[in-house]
Structure formats: C-alpha cells, structure tokens
Amino acid sequence: MRPKKRLSVFLALLTLSLAASAAGGETEVLGPGSYWRWHVTMRPPLIEDGGETRPLKRAYVNYHHYGDRLESPPPPAGWEKPDFDDSEWPRGRGDWMRGVVCSRWSTFAICMRGKFAVASPAAAGKLKVSVAYRGGVRVLVNGQEVARENLPEGDLKPEAVARAYPAEAYIDAKGLPIPGSRAQKKLPADVKKDLASRAAKRARSLEVEIPAKALRSGVNVLAVEVRRANYHPSVAKWFSSAWIKKGSAWKTIDVAAVKLTAPGGGVTPNMSRAAGVQLWNHDVNDRV
C-alpha cells in the first residue's frame, strides 16, 4: 500500500473513531492502552476442597514453566491513596502488563494505579469504571473504595481470597476437565455449546459510577485490586498426561480490561503521551 493511501485510510479510521466517541457522548479516560503503575503479590496456589485448603502440588504444574512456588510481600499500606509514591513500581501499558503479571501460577493479587487530571469535578459528571476480570475485585478512587465484587466484606486482609468458582467452570457434564478450544473442534455442536456456557462462568465483570464528589481538582488516582480464587479439586487432572494436550488449565486471576470513561468535560484523558518535550530519568533495568 502506498504511503498516501495508508495515510488516507488511517485518517478515515480516525474520523470514524472520533465520530463514534462523540455519538456515544463519553470520553475514554483510562484504558488497556494507558500506562499504569502496578504491584503483584506472589503466593503458591491452593486447592479448596470442602472448606479446607491444600497446596496445588508441584507435580500438577511442572509442565508449565511459570513459577508456582514464588512468594512476595503485599503492597505497602496506603498504596491506594492519591499521594502514595509509586515511582518504584513497574510502569507499563495495561495490555502489556496483563501478559506479565497474570501468567504465573503464583500470582495472588494485582494492584494497579492509573492517573488522570480533572480541571473541574463539578463539570466532570459521573465517571464510569468497568473491569473485566477473574477472581475478585475492588475499585478505589483517590483512596476511597467505591465498589467490590466476589471479595469478603469489611477490612480486606492480606490473606483474603476471592469467592470460589463453581464446579461448572472447571468440569463438563461427565465430571471431566473442560478441554481447550482446539480439543473441542471435533465435538458435537450441542456439546461445544454446553462447554462454552461452562467456560463463560470464569469471566467476571464490574461496572460502577463514580460520583463527582469522589474526584478532586488536579491529579486523581484510580486504583484497582484483583485477588485470586482458590482452585477446585478437579485441577489435579489438568496435568495428567491425557489432559495436558487438551488445554484444560486456566488461572483464577486475571485483569482482562480496565476502562474509565467520562460523560462531561473537565477531565483529561490519559490515553497517549503528553504534548511537547518530556524529560525524566529511567531505570536501566526497565526496558523502554
């Protein structure tokens, strides 16, 4: 494709995108393409059986090379507050971060901080946060919790886990692990439909409005915390010689997407780099 034609196609797509945004009457302030500061807490995975827990033994998970016995401390107290110094936390785009922190069996909790500017809280209207996730989640704005789902009520202790998934999210009608999409290709349509409905139970979502009174003039912080759920006893079969190839394994913690939208004015989207020349120091161990 010629450069001029590429440019015209790009401009056409951009025009359609802006028109769709204007028609919807909402502005995307933070999203998967935004840069987030994040912290991950590692703990060995557990199986929950009849109210009791036991380790997900290494024999079950040694097929996957991701760490299953990693441990790390929880985030510092007050990490969700707007004035918390997160400069030592890793920084990356939301879509890139997901592949880094959600890929290990030891991932226990994920904490994310996204920043956006508000010129006038009164003019901003009610912002909306939507989160697609696995496990349990809570959302905070400027240190104030505005919603939580699939997590215990009250003070969230460091060891608290998300609400367990039902057996249907793990096993089929015969009590066997749900195979991956590749292993389902030759199955009857009705069986594939049933398996799809079972696998759909793994996806969880939260959508909540943020009142203007929760905002402040200047820099605001959206904090999102996701916790892992303990595993069903059937996961012991995932890594038998027969089920490895069927792709049955899945993790009970994930941040598929986080999006913050604003209906009114006075909110500056954090979806791209700021205009003008920017200068700051950069850790030599952190790739650009």
Side-chain angles (χ1 to χ4, degrees):
M1 185 181 293
R2 295 179 180 178
K4 289 185 177 179
K5 190 172 183 180
R6 289 177 181 172
L7 178 60
S8 63
V9 171
F10 170 77
L11 292 176
L13 292 174
L14 179 60
T15 302
L16 289 173
S17 177
L18 293 175
S21 178
E26 291 188 339
T27 300
E28 188 171 351
V29 181
L30 288 169
S34 302
Y35 279 88
W36 301 77
R37 294 282 183 177
W38 53 269
H39 178 282
V40 58
T41 303
M42 298 286 189
R43 289 185 182 173
L46 299 174
I47 289 176
E48 186 172 327
D49 189 2
E52 298 183 354
T53 59
R54 65 177 187 270
L56 178 58
K57 295 182 180 179
R58 185 179 296 271
Y60 300 156
V61 296
N62 61 5
Y63 173 77
H64 286 252
H65 62 277
Y66 302 117
D68 65 295
R69 288 295 178 268
L70 302 176
E71 293 193 52
S72 64
W79 69 268
E80 72 282 3
K81 298 185 181 300
D83 299 325
F84 174 76
D85 182 8
D86 59 10
S87 59
E88 294 187 357
W89 284 21
R91 176 178 179 269
R93 287 165 51 104
D95 47 9
W96 176 86
M97 180 211 73
R98 179 190 182 196
V100 174
V101 302
C102 300
S103 60
R104 297 180 175 88
W105 290 100
S106 290
T107 299
F108 174 78
I110 303 166
C111 297
M112 303 170 56
R113 288 171 53 90
K115 299 179 180 179
F116 60 100
V118 176
S120 172
K126 292 183 178 180
L127 278 65
K128 184 187 300 180
V129 178
S130 57
V131 187
Y133 67 98
R134 287 180 182 173
V137 66
R138 66 173 182 150
V139 175
L140 308 98
V141 177
N142 295 324
Q144 176 184 342
E145 183 174 325
V146 295
R148 73 169 65 184
E149 271 191 357
N150 296 303
L151 287 174
E153 296 295 330
D155 184 29
L156 192 63
K157 300 183 181 301
E159 66 276 10
V161 297
R163 179 172 61 88
Y165 280 88
E168 291 79 11
Y170 295 88
I171 57 178
D172 62 14
K174 298 179 180 179
L176 298 174
I178 297 174
S181 57
R182 182 176 299 181
Q184 295 183 26
K185 288 183 177 180
K186 297 182 179 181
L187 296 176
D190 60 333
V191 175
K192 288 193 288 186
K193 183 178 180 180
D194 177 62
L195 294 178
S197 66
R198 291 169 180 267
K201 297 180 183 297
R202 303 168 183 173
R204 292 172 172 174
S205 62
L206 167 68
E207 186 171 283
V208 60
E209 286 188 345
I210 300 173
K213 64 181 182 180
L215 304 175
R216 64 179 190 174
S217 297
V219 177
N220 289 250
V221 174
L222 171 65
V224 178
E225 181 176 10
V226 179
R227 296 283 185 98
R228 184 180 69 201
N230 289 333
Y231 288 91
H232 187 266
S234 64
V235 301
K237 297 180 181 179
W238 283 354
F239 296 92
S240 66
S241 58
W243 288 99
I244 287 175
K245 297 179 180 179
K246 293 182 180 292
S248 300
W250 60 281
K251 299 176 180 65
T252 57
I253 183 170
D254 188 20
V255 184
V258 179
K259 183 185 291 186
L260 172 66
T261 57
V267 182
T268 303
N270 188 2
M271 299 296 296
S272 61
R273 62 173 296 166
V277 178
Q278 306 287 323
L279 179 65
W280 63 93
N281 62 332
H282 192 81
D283 189 337
V284 296
N285 298 297
D286 188 11
R287 62 182 180 178
V288 178

